[in-house]
Amino acid sequence: MSAVARKIMRRIIALASITDEPGRVTRLFASPAMRRANKLVAGWMREAGMKTRVDAIGNLIGHYAGEKPAAKILLLGSHLDTVRNAGKYDGPLGVVLAIAYVAELSRQKIRLPFAIEVVGFADEEGVRYQTAYLGSKVLAGCFDRRDLRRMDTDGISMADAINQFGGDAAKLKTARLNPKRLLGYVEAHIEQGPVLEKNKLAVGIVTAIAGQSRCQITFTGRAGHAGTTPMNLRRDALCAAAEFVLAVEKQARTTTGLVATVGQIQAKPGASNVIPGQVNLTLDVRHQNDSVRRAACLALQRVARQIASGRRGQAGWQLVQQTRSVPCDAPLSRLLAETVGKHQCKVFELPSGAGHDAAVMGGITPMAMLFIRCKGGVSHHPAESVNTGDVRIALAVLTDFVQALANQT
């Protein structure tokens, strides 16, 4: 499997060269780079013996038939989109790894009691339209059609972007999977954290995916001349926002297991000699316990309004997206753990603080996740790195896991 692992790594590098922004890895939903990525990966799928299709929103799906035409389907995969200036492995590794596994089945002319479909999801990161899991939501049948009206920074609606990409925003329901035909969904993904590396382990079993809230907050004050407005008369929206950012940090530091991030800030009118009259910022809050996460969001909403009021301004709060905490399926996870035990000295379980398409797919079928160690726990960054030896172990685990599942079917 070492040669196959090296091939996986070469393919990851080849995929990383496909980008919307030269000089760094950026592939956004329904972009020209995503179209080229789908074309490249579809070629690998066909080479592995799969029939391919691209659905109405742009998910790439490769189908490897089972022993019987009406066989159930085991879904494998991850996402092909990225954040801006991303690493190479977040998402694509799970897709390329699954393709490599199916390629070996095809080479040996093996058919299983179930079919396998490898999915390259069209959007997991939610960068372009500030709402994530578009691809998996369509497959799971929980896509909110109101999102089609969302605009990107260039003023292009989501509906128009889908249609320009070659999809069909009017026919998203046709892409919905039938839960009765699904055996389960299994996703291999880099950990995006330092726990496995700290424990000197190649892979780990995910127990649950943390719930997540994404909010848009607007602080409104009053713009004014930077040189002529006395400090005691100012209603500086950016100062209010800065105070709120520190309050977010304090809330997370004092709540066990909570993580909260202000990732984007936009001050208007945006001139060096003008007091900011309005500031828009994003807030990302996550916790394994949904009640803790919701309570934190409510507390921060009150804090935002208190800060704004104290500075004679206003605070607007919009919940952009909310996903519940999703536990991984116990039977699938136990089988995955038994398989991991054959390939490393210790079976290690850990939660995922990051969101994944698995969280959505878990709403319609049993799901499990395998984490793969990444160097320094670094992710969403060009320094993202994975060891070839760990990829080899992950491939061996996936191979034995699917065979064990076939033996039970």
Side-chain angles (χ1 to χ4, degrees):
M1 286 190 176
S2 295
V4 180
R6 290 194 293 271
K7 184 176 183 179
I8 290 170
M9 298 296 271
R10 290 195 298 271
R11 284 182 166 179
I12 292 292
I13 292 171
L15 192 52
S17 69
I18 299 176
T19 176
D20 292 309
E21 298 178 320
R24 58 184 193 168
V25 181
T26 301
R27 283 192 306 275
L28 304 185
F29 169 66
S31 69
M34 277 297 295
R35 186 181 294 110
R36 297 196 303 273
N38 274 0
K39 182 178 179 180
L40 177 64
V41 177
W44 295 339
M45 288 177 169
R46 289 190 290 270
E47 184 183 317
M50 288 181 267
K51 293 182 179 179
T52 64
R53 68 184 189 272
V54 177
D55 68 15
I57 199 167
N59 292 317
L60 172 65
I61 303 170
H63 180 88
Y64 185 76
E67 292 173 341
K68 298 178 181 178
K72 285 199 170 187
I73 300 168
L74 174 66
L75 300 171
L76 305 174
S78 194
H79 59 99
L80 292 174
D81 70 314
T82 74
V83 296
R84 294 187 185 277
N85 197 24
K88 301 179 183 71
Y89 302 94
D90 173 6
L93 179 58
V95 180
V96 178
L97 187 74
I99 293 171
Y101 165 67
V102 174
E104 188 60 20
L105 288 180
S106 180
R107 187 185 70 80
Q108 297 184 43
K109 297 182 171 54
I110 296 173
R111 295 290 172 179
L112 300 170
F114 45 82
I116 292 177
E117 288 195 343
V118 178
V119 185
F121 289 103
D123 174 275
E124 187 259 12
E125 300 290 4
V127 175
R128 185 170 181 181
Y129 288 99
Q130 294 300 302
T131 183
Y133 315 123
L134 299 179
S136 50
K137 283 179 177 178
V138 165
L139 290 187
C142 59
F143 179 83
D144 188 344
R145 289 193 61 83
R146 290 174 295 184
D147 285 338
L148 292 172
R149 299 194 295 267
R150 288 179 178 271
M151 297 288 181
D152 67 6
T153 55
D154 295 320
I156 300 172
S157 73
M158 186 187 296
D160 286 344
I162 291 170
N163 294 334
Q164 291 167 13
F165 185 76
D168 192 334
K171 296 182 178 180
L172 296 182
K173 286 186 177 181
T174 64
R176 182 179 183 178
L177 298 176
N178 180 359
K180 293 180 180 179
R181 288 211 61 202
L182 301 180
L183 187 63
Y185 172 76
V186 180
E187 181 170 353
H189 201 284
I190 63 170
E191 181 196 347
Q192 299 179 280
V195 178
L196 289 175
E197 185 177 63
K198 181 180 179 181
N199 285 273
K200 300 180 181 179
L201 296 171
V203 296
I205 309 297
V206 178
T207 56
I209 300 170
Q212 178 185 14
S213 297
R214 288 189 180 188
C215 305
Q216 181 82 38
I217 298 99
T218 300
F219 285 95
T220 304
R222 184 172 62 195
H225 195 291
T228 62
T229 308
M231 296 302 294
N232 64 327
L233 297 180
R234 296 186 179 205
R235 294 164 59 187
D236 191 324
L238 185 55
C239 288
E243 191 174 338
F244 176 73
V245 171
L246 293 178
V248 169
E249 181 185 43
K250 182 179 179 181
Q251 180 81 28
R253 285 182 177 272
T254 55
T255 305
T256 303
L258 187 75
V259 290
T261 305
V262 175
Q264 292 181 326
I265 298 179
Q266 181 185 37
K268 297 179 180 180
S272 61
N273 61 345
V274 180
I275 300 164
Q278 180 177 306
V279 173
N280 300 318
L281 58 84
T282 61
L283 174 64
D284 182 308
V285 181
R286 308 186 193 205
H287 198 279
Q288 290 182 72
N289 186 315
D290 288 335
S291 62
V292 174
R293 170 178 51 81
R294 287 192 292 264
C297 286
L298 286 173
L300 288 172
Q301 187 173 4
R302 288 194 296 269
V303 168
R305 289 171 177 165
Q306 289 168 1
I307 290 171
S309 177
R311 291 179 173 274
R312 293 175 296 135
Q314 294 180 320
W317 185 284
Q318 179 188 5
L319 179 63
V320 176
Q321 177 183 311
Q322 186 167 240
T323 55
R324 62 185 176 86
S325 174
V326 181
C328 293
D329 179 71
L332 280 184
S333 296
R334 278 196 301 269
L335 188 60
L336 195 56
E338 290 171 9
T339 310
V340 167
K342 298 176 181 178
H343 295 281
Q344 68 181 24
C345 63
K346 181 181 180 182
V347 176
F348 192 86
E349 297 182 341
L350 70 167
S352 174
H356 301 282
D357 289 301
V360 177
M361 300 307 293
I364 62 167
T365 191
M367 72 83 180
M369 285 195 72
L370 180 72
F371 267 172
I372 302 166
R373 171 171 51 186
C374 57
K375 186 177 180 180
V378 174
S379 184
H380 284 189
H381 188 278
E384 198 174 81
S385 180
V386 173
N387 184 282
T388 305
D390 292 349
V391 172
R392 179 187 60 78
I393 291 174
L395 179 60
V397 168
L398 181 63
T399 300
D400 289 352
F401 165 79
V402 179
Q403 184 58 54
L405 189 60
N407 293 342
Q408 293 182 358
T409 303

